[in-house]
Amino acid sequence: MWTWLLLALDTAQLRGASYGDVRVMHLRQRDLTTKNGQVGTLSQSESIGIGIRALANGAWGFASTDRLTKQGVAACAAQAVAIAKASALAKRADVVLAPEQAYVDSWQSPFRKDPFEIPLEKQLALLLAADDAMRRVKGVTLTETDMQFRKIDSWFASSIGSRIHQRKVISGCGIAATSFQGEEIQKRSYPNSFGGQHSLQGYELIESLDLLRNAPIIAEEAAALHSASQCPEKTGTLILGGSQLGLQIHESIGHPIELDRVLGQEANFAGTSFLTLDQLNKLKYASSIVNVVADARLDHGPGLGTFAYDDEGVPAQCTDIIKDGQFRGYLSNRETAHLVGLNRSSGTMRTESWNRLPIIRMTNVSLLPGAWDFDNLIADTPDGILMETNRSWSIDDRRYQFQFSTEIGWEIKGGKKVRMLKNPSYSGITTEFWNSCDAICKLDHWNLWGTPNCGKGQPMQTMGTGHGASPARFRNVRIGTAFSNQ
Amino acid sequence: MTPSSKPKKSSSGKSARAAELLPERELHRIVATVLRLARSTGAEETEVHVDEVADNLTRFANNGIHQNVAEQGLTVSVRTVVDGRTARATTNRIEEDSLRATIEASLALAHSQPKDPRVLPMLPKQRYRSVNRFVKQTAALTAEERARAVRLACDLAIKKGQVAAGIFASGQSQSAIGNSRGLFAAYRETHAEFSITMQEAAAASWAKANSADVRAFEPQKLAARASDKAHLAVNARELPPGRYTVILEPAAVLDLVGFLFYDFAATALEDKRSCLNDRMGTPLFGKNITIADDAYHPLQQGAPFDGEGLPRQRVLLVDRGIPRNLVYSRAAAKAARKTPTGHGFALPNEYGEAPMNLVFTGGDSSLEKMIASTGRGLLVTRLWYIREVDPYEKVMTGMTRDGLFLVENGRVTTAVRNFRFNQSLIEMLSNVELLGPAVRATGEEAFEMVVPAMKVHNFHFSEVTKF
């Protein structure tokens, strides 16, 4: 494999590249779904190719191909350089890269059970059993389950001498029950919506989820939501479950801290950020109990943002994003680090595949655990609403104003969950919301949630990100806005 | 078949010319190779999809190019049927050993599941209506040509004291499908797209066009339009949220109504997740709303066949406000005792089918006429981050973006800070006062469709943001 990478680097340099990096990636994926007791999707795929990034005349070019022949790779490298030279026709300034060492390394994400070695019959039998357990519940009109496994090998070489091989094994699984009654569709998902939980683990993730115990629970809830009271419209106290808080972090902290957004590079598509460069170390982003890190190291956990090196050959790091409520850091790459006074990239360049350019991406952007026991948090809340499991999410293109709705809510009165609420939603302004956080649950309730479907870049890339979170409480939040008709 | 049997790239590497697609005879050869290899594996039936892309995208921001990419790739996807079971495996390696391994992987997946009574025999040879959506001028566009156009747009921004960001993309793709019962179909198209955001101080505006033919739009005109509107958008005023008359430009209409497409799938109704459940045949939208799915419309793109190789049919979905018809895959049609319409996804899948070529019937009101007829309302350039809040009432939430303007007494008077909306599409399509001519619209939330601008009363904005 290294032959192709070195040929690409040599060709790029011969053609005039002042810097080059190359990724060969081999991606394998298996998808299984069921619907209403029958197998839906049953497929597997593999893809292998090479992506070459070249810096020439002070500008970038990138080309990719699946033609892994001497001629195909050399032509692709030459094309990357030619594109870079075309870019220079309309460059703003020469690209300058922060210094980085060369690394020669090989790394594999830890897993106990290779999901590709587990018999398909066993995987399907589990999904069909969970599907069956949901369909047994009266009122359920649609049942869905899914499993997804990926094994990604990447070989990276750069013209500064790095040679890095990484292998990642990723697993994901989820189930959902939907109920249509009268003029209403209600849905419950486990362990999370939109495909469940995903992490850098093997089949042990699936076994840890206890699908068969949870299937009837969510099915009963989906049917019961029809007779639940509508979530009221008011300003009040909100407690978010861990998975919903993970998405709140993703949208209102993770995206605003991407330095390419801040610098306007995504202005036409994904948007910009309210976190302009003058806010660094000055903005009180959140209340003083809020601490957020971007941590790609394995020490943080087996998240979708965990790796040993990013796709620019920079080692995984932990960066303080919010420290005691103060805004402390961005996600950067080798090209942008100096703009925020750093002499080194924070290691967040990631690519979906061999045919995509690495771009700045979230790693594991996580809210660190607080001090509260969950039961004590509920007991300490005289009047509030607990919301769990995302149903919809939306935020403006500078990441100020957001609105989320969840699948289920629970009214809290006198320190107790007293009744189920349907159609819960809340909205707010990012910094006002995070400054209203007055309680975060402790490590026992903390989980590293996976968001497998984060879209960004043109051409679009889908990336997995990790978000550690435990339930937390927020005050004076606008509740019920999505269903307000005023 | 060996990797070297793929044709040489057209580019010598000395210039950034676009790659070429395989000739159709090569697609035939790949399909024939897979079918030959499959005959000795125990597969009762075999279907092969071959998809190839050669895409290029030049991206600019801060008045300069910052990303510039080219992509070439081909995939071969094999579906086998054995003993009433079916599954799919896909590879991008086309040497015989890899193709054989892919066939075997498909068979192993198929064997792992229970028998599926919905599996139908594969289709025999079909006849297809021809469509021509391959424009050699688009296919031949070079990185240098895209860079020069971007340079002109950035020069305009600099001259106006603005900041430009956007893309200029061009490319070509092709798909072929063949099976062991003799079916073969192939389709190729080109695509070009220019999108630009002009920023002036805290304001921004946007323009975008998309076509098979790069000559169908002028990047400099789009840049000028975005520039003019960005200047108008400066000093936005905050208005209270509430219900407003809105004039939705085609991109804003597209990104909203695009969320309706799957509701017209027969499988979505069977699964009871469509907003049309219990509503077919009854008035649901205004009488001025008529929607068809028409892959052959001159402003549409896409193959004239579906994921099983069935020819696409034109289907009238909504006739003067009344939902009349759905689209059907072969399996969904059999279950519902209907005729399949050629809208099925590649098998196996759990979603069935969907109309992918929506065409709204337009009217004759220009944007200027809509503005002139409005006492007080809002002109909406574009919407953003649209998500479904209520699947049955089809309540969508999202934000306005890149140019929201107050209309008073028949003219645009000032820019307005962006709003969040929570709006039922059913209600919205019942409140349409005026329709513009239907055009090929392109946004960021839905795939391209043919839709008109719309003037809509009582549109619900629930909150305002800070810019």
Side-chain angles (χ1 to χ4, degrees):
Chain A
M1 203 62 72
W2 294 108
T3 307
W4 302 132
L5 286 102
L6 299 180
L7 171 63
L9 283 177
D10 288 347
T11 305
Q13 286 183 307
L14 277 172
R15 296 280 183 169
S18 57
Y19 170 82
D21 54 31
V22 186
R23 282 150 294 277
V24 169
M25 295 177 72
H26 184 199
L27 304 100
R28 282 160 283 187
Q29 180 162 329
R30 178 184 290 177
D31 292 284
L32 303 86
T33 70
T34 72
K35 185 183 78 173
N36 291 337
Q38 293 186 310
V39 176
T41 296
L42 188 53
S43 64
Q44 72 180 46
S45 62
E46 68 160 355
S47 177
I48 186 168
I50 190 166
I52 301 160
R53 189 174 69 142
L55 190 57
N57 293 354
W60 285 119
F62 175 86
S64 63
T65 185
D66 59 1
R67 295 172 186 178
L68 292 180
T69 62
K70 189 174 177 183
Q71 191 175 44
V73 170
C76 186
Q79 188 184 20
V81 177
I83 290 172
K85 290 176 178 174
S87 300
L89 297 173
K91 70 180 175 185
R92 187 167 174 243
D94 283 0
V95 171
V96 177
L97 298 178
E100 188 58 56
Q101 292 180 47
Y103 301 91
V104 178
D105 202 356
S106 183
W107 179 83
Q108 175 171 299
S109 68
F111 59 88
R112 290 201 299 278
K113 295 183 178 179
D114 185 340
F116 291 88
E117 299 298 323
I118 304 293
L120 281 160
E121 291 82 353
K122 182 178 176 180
Q123 296 172 346
L124 273 177
L126 176 59
L127 291 183
L128 287 168
D131 194 304
D132 181 62
M134 293 189 288
R135 275 186 300 123
R136 288 172 185 273
V137 174
K138 190 179 174 188
V140 169
T141 53
L142 173 65
T143 53
E144 296 168 286
T145 75
D146 70 85
M147 279 186 200
Q148 183 188 78
F149 305 105
R150 282 183 291 162
K151 188 178 284 184
I152 303 169
D153 278 283
S154 66
W155 293 263
F156 171 87
S158 71
S159 57
I160 63 169
S162 283
R163 308 285 183 263
I164 300 164
H165 170 246
Q166 297 185 84
R167 169 174 287 183
K168 292 195 279 191
V169 171
I170 297 167
S171 299
C173 182
I175 60 175
T178 302
S179 174
F180 173 59
Q181 287 179 30
E183 296 194 336
E184 198 171 75
I185 298 171
Q186 294 291 347
K187 183 176 184 178
R188 286 290 289 132
S189 308
Y190 173 84
N192 200 357
S193 48
F194 303 103
Q197 168 67 325
H198 294 247
S199 69
L200 198 66
Q201 289 181 275
Y203 198 72
E204 62 272 16
L205 169 73
I206 313 302
E207 293 177 336
S208 73
L209 294 177
D210 205 352
L211 297 182
L212 298 183
R213 187 178 73 80
N214 286 282
I217 295 173
I218 61 162
E220 297 278 2
E221 288 177 346
L225 276 165
H226 289 288
S227 50
S229 297
Q230 174 74 20
C231 176
E233 187 184 356
K234 65 176 187 176
T235 298
T237 297
L238 172 69
I239 296 174
L240 291 181
S243 65
Q244 172 57 30
L245 189 53
L247 191 59
Q248 176 78 47
I249 295 164
H250 179 97
E251 300 292 354
S252 65
I253 298 176
H255 279 306
I257 60 174
E258 294 164 339
L259 206 42
D260 52 352
R261 279 177 178 271
V262 174
L263 298 171
Q265 294 179 3
E266 289 282 340
N268 176 248
F269 182 60
T272 59
S273 172
F274 70 93
L275 287 174
T276 48
L277 297 180
D278 56 314
Q279 308 271 17
L280 186 63
N281 295 318
K282 292 179 185 161
L283 176 71
K284 188 166 182 298
Y285 205 123
S287 65
S288 59
I289 63 168
V290 173
N291 291 283
V292 175
V293 296
D295 195 344
R297 303 170 308 161
L298 191 56
D299 291 350
H300 191 71
L304 294 186
T306 300
F307 47 77
Y309 299 87
D310 78 353
D311 289 313
E312 210 176 25
V314 177
Q317 297 165 45
C318 178
T319 302
D320 281 332
I321 303 300
I322 299 173
K323 181 82 174 166
D324 301 329
Q326 295 290 325
F327 174 45
R328 293 292 186 213
Y330 291 104
L331 304 176
S332 65
N333 61 3
R334 292 186 63 195
E335 187 178 345
T336 59
H338 70 279
L339 296 167
V340 285
L342 301 172
N343 55 17
R344 187 189 189 200
S345 161
S346 65
T348 67
M349 286 286 267
R350 305 178 68 194
T351 182
E352 172 190 272
S353 180
W354 53 268
N355 58 6
R356 291 290 180 268
L357 181 72
I359 56 176
I360 291 176
R361 282 298 204 160
M362 286 176 241
T363 54
N364 300 307
V365 180
S366 298
L367 174 67
L368 298 182
W372 286 78
D373 180 82
F374 182 68
D375 289 342
N376 290 343
L377 179 62
I378 299 293
D380 185 65
T381 305
D383 183 2
I385 296 175
L386 167 65
M387 297 190 193
E388 294 180 314
T389 318
N390 183 261
R391 178 160 138 181
S392 73
W393 68 104
S394 176
I395 189 165
D396 71 44
D397 58 288
R398 295 183 196 172
R399 304 275 153 179
Y400 280 117
Q401 204 281 338
F402 60 80
Q403 177 182 292
F404 292 91
S405 64
T406 63
E407 290 182 346
I408 194 167
W410 301 92
E411 186 175 48
I412 301 166
K413 288 283 185 192
K416 290 181 179 166
K417 278 168 65 174
V418 293
R419 61 174 180 157
M420 181 188 287
L421 298 173
K422 67 182 174 186
N423 303 329
S425 67
Y426 66 99
S427 59
I429 297 292
T430 292
T431 48
E432 294 170 9
F433 179 79
W434 282 105
N435 274 285
S436 78
C437 181
D438 78 339
I440 302 168
C441 286
K442 61 187 181 183
L443 184 60
D444 297 2
H445 310 287
W446 193 88
N447 191 31
L448 186 48
W449 293 97
T451 300
N453 56 347
C454 178
K456 186 181 171 187
Q458 292 171 292
M460 172 69 90
Q461 302 189 41
T462 300
M463 183 55 69
T465 63
H467 305 289
S470 48
R473 185 171 66 190
F474 301 83
R475 302 291 196 181
N476 300 312
V477 178
R478 285 199 66 190
I479 288 168
T481 48
F483 287 82
S484 157
N485 206 23
Q486 299 306 305
Chain B
M1 194 175 297
T2 64
S4 59
S5 67
K6 289 184 178 180
K8 295 170 187 173
K9 288 173 81 83
S10 64
S11 171
S12 67
K14 288 176 183 172
S15 71
R17 278 184 286 164
E20 286 181 4
L21 299 177
L22 293 173
E24 188 176 313
R25 67 175 180 278
E26 286 297 319
L27 304 183
H28 266 287
R29 199 157 76 87
I30 294 169
V31 169
T33 301
V34 173
L35 296 178
R36 173 175 57 81
L37 293 171
R39 280 198 285 272
S40 58
T41 61
E44 293 163 9
E45 291 192 298
T46 306
E47 175 192 274
V48 191
H49 288 241
V50 183
D51 294 284
E52 187 180 24
V53 297
D55 284 339
N56 312 277
L57 189 145
T58 300
R59 205 167 186 215
F60 55 102
N62 299 309
N63 295 334
I65 292 173
H66 67 302
Q67 293 171 8
N68 206 348
V69 303
E71 169 192 2
Q72 179 279 323
L74 180 145
T75 59
V76 178
S77 188
V78 181
R79 180 169 72 94
T80 54
V81 175
V82 58
D83 193 23
R85 302 161 166 92
T86 190
R88 177 175 297 279
T90 303
T91 185
N92 72 340
R93 297 201 282 188
I94 61 169
E95 66 273 22
E96 287 204 2
D97 284 350
S98 292
L99 294 176
R100 190 178 288 110
T102 304
I103 296 164
E104 286 166 0
S106 168
L107 279 167
L109 286 164
H111 278 298
S112 69
Q113 63 187 305
K115 261 190 179 179
D116 184 347
R118 299 164 306 167
V119 173
L120 298 172
M122 290 185 181
L123 284 168
K125 188 174 180 180
Q126 303 286 306
R127 295 189 67 176
Y128 302 101
R129 198 170 144 185
S130 107
V131 290
N132 182 10
R133 289 159 180 164
F134 190 93
V135 179
K136 62 183 180 185
Q137 286 84 354
T138 305
L141 199 70
T142 67
E144 289 87 354
E145 289 168 312
R146 291 192 304 277
R148 280 193 283 273
V150 166
R151 177 66 185 262
L152 288 173
C154 293
D155 286 348
L156 175 70
I158 292 165
K159 183 179 162 191
K160 299 271 187 177
Q162 298 176 329
V163 179
I167 61 160
F168 192 1
S170 60
Q172 47 190 319
S173 60
Q174 64 179 345
S175 302
I177 179 172
N179 70 30
S180 50
R181 297 195 68 198
L183 180 145
F184 183 85
Y187 168 78
R188 60 171 50 193
E189 68 176 25
T190 51
H191 35 269
E193 185 166 293
F194 187 83
S195 176
I196 185 162
T197 301
M198 287 289 203
Q199 301 156 90
E200 182 169 330
S205 199
W206 170 88
K208 183 179 180 185
N210 170 300
S211 175
D213 188 345
V214 70
R215 300 166 301 177
F217 56 80
E218 295 180 47
Q220 302 327 310
K221 282 191 177 172
L222 293 165
R225 193 165 98 208
S227 174
D228 291 346
K229 286 181 77 175
H231 186 65
L232 274 177
V234 172
N235 296 325
R237 172 183 154 193
E238 184 172 328
L239 291 182
R243 289 192 172 267
Y244 287 82
T245 292
V246 292
I247 299 162
L248 302 171
E249 293 196 25
V253 171
L254 167 76
D255 280 342
L256 276 174
V257 301
F259 280 86
L260 273 174
F261 84 105
Y262 188 61
D263 290 272
F264 290 98
T267 302
L269 269 82
E270 175 67 23
D271 292 343
K272 299 189 188 309
R273 56 177 153 198
S274 166
C275 71
L276 300 178
N277 271 99
D278 302 337
R279 287 168 168 165
M280 291 298 293
T282 59
L284 188 62
F285 310 127
K287 287 183 178 173
N288 53 0
I289 300 300
T290 294
I291 311 170
D293 186 78
D294 185 1
Y296 308 99
H297 190 282
L299 295 177
Q300 279 288 2
Q301 287 197 251
F305 50 86
D306 74 359
E308 288 185 86
L310 194 66
R312 290 192 185 279
Q313 293 178 20
R314 183 185 187 276
V315 178
L316 179 64
L317 301 170
V318 176
D319 184 13
R320 288 165 288 175
I322 301 174
R324 290 290 187 195
N325 298 295
L326 303 172
V327 296
Y328 294 87
S329 64
R330 294 175 68 220
K334 187 182 179 196
R337 297 182 179 178
K338 299 276 188 180
T339 304
T341 59
H343 291 82
F345 297 130
L347 296 172
N349 73 78
E350 63 272 35
Y351 291 105
E353 61 282 310
M356 306 298 285
N357 298 93
L358 290 185
V359 177
F360 277 60
T361 299
D364 60 2
S365 296
S366 64
L367 268 182
E368 292 73 22
K369 186 174 171 184
M370 292 183 193
I371 292 167
S373 70
T374 302
R376 182 177 166 83
L378 294 167
L379 173 63
V380 181
T381 301
R382 177 189 188 189
L383 300 173
W384 163 249
Y385 222 132
I386 304 171
R387 292 293 183 275
E388 187 176 81
V389 168
D390 180 335
Y392 196 63
E393 294 308 320
K394 217 64 192 173
V395 174
M396 311 302 300
T397 192
M399 300 293 303
T400 63
R401 176 178 175 180
D402 295 337
L404 179 67
F405 302 98
L406 180 64
V407 176
E408 294 175 295
N409 301 320
R411 63 188 187 90
V412 172
T413 54
T414 185
V416 177
R417 280 194 179 183
N418 287 298
F419 278 123
R420 168 168 301 287
F421 62 86
N422 280 282
Q423 174 63 50
S424 159
L425 295 188
I426 296 171
E427 180 193 45
M428 181 187 113
L429 292 177
S430 302
N431 292 345
V432 177
E433 294 179 13
L434 295 173
L435 292 159
V439 297
R440 178 176 174 81
T442 176
E444 301 296 358
E445 304 275 346
F447 49 82
E448 286 74 20
M449 298 177 192
V450 180
V451 299
M454 290 181 182
K455 179 179 171 183
V456 180
H457 63 261
N458 236 18
F459 194 92
H460 183 220
F461 292 112
S462 54
E463 291 180 275
V464 63
T465 189
K466 288 182 170 292
F467 60 96

